[in-house]
Amino acid sequence: MATDTADRFSPHMRGVTVTALASVMGILAAVGSSVVTASAATPATNPQGVFVLAGAILVQFPILRAVGIDVSDFSTKDYLYVAFMTFSLWFVCWGILLSTGTSL
C-alpha cells in the first residue's frame, strides 16, 4: 500500500540495537568510573562513579534517536530496561576493575 510507512528497524533489530547500546554504554561507564575515581582514596565509595553511570544512561536516548529508533514510542518499561541493562553491566565491570586493583 502506498500509505504504509517503512520502518527503519524491524522489532527484532530495534531490540538488538537497544540492548547492544545499553551493554556497551554500561561497559564504557565502568571504565569511565574507574578513570574518574582512580585518584580517590576509596574509589568504590566515590559518588562520581555513579554520576558517570547516570550520564551514560541519559546519553543513550539521543544516540538511539540519531541511529533512527523512535524513542517517543518508548514506554516506561523500555526506559527501565535501558537503565537496568546499563546499570548491570556497569556494576559487574566496575566491580571487576575495583577488585583487581586496575586503574585505567
Side-chain angles (χ1 to χ4, degrees), residues 25-62:
M25 290 301 288
I27 295 168
L28 291 176
V31 171
S33 293
S34 181
V35 169
V36 168
T37 62
S39 63
T42 55
T45 60
N46 193 335
Q48 290 179 341
V50 178
F51 296 151
V52 173
L53 169 65
I57 291 170
L58 293 176
V59 79
Q60 290 181 60
F61 300 109

Side-chain angles (χ1 to χ4, degrees), residues 56-102:
I57 291 170
L58 293 176
V59 79
Q60 290 181 60
F61 300 109
I63 292 173
L64 288 170
R65 190 174 296 118
V67 170
I69 294 177
D70 190 12
V71 182
S72 63
D73 286 344
F74 274 21
S75 65
T76 303
K77 179 178 137 184
D78 294 319
Y79 286 110
L80 289 174
Y81 176 76
V82 169
F84 177 73
M85 287 297 293
T86 306
F87 168 78
S88 298
L89 270 290
W90 169 82
F91 185 79
V92 169
C93 292
W94 196 34
I96 291 170
L97 291 172
L98 287 171
S99 65
T100 60
T102 306

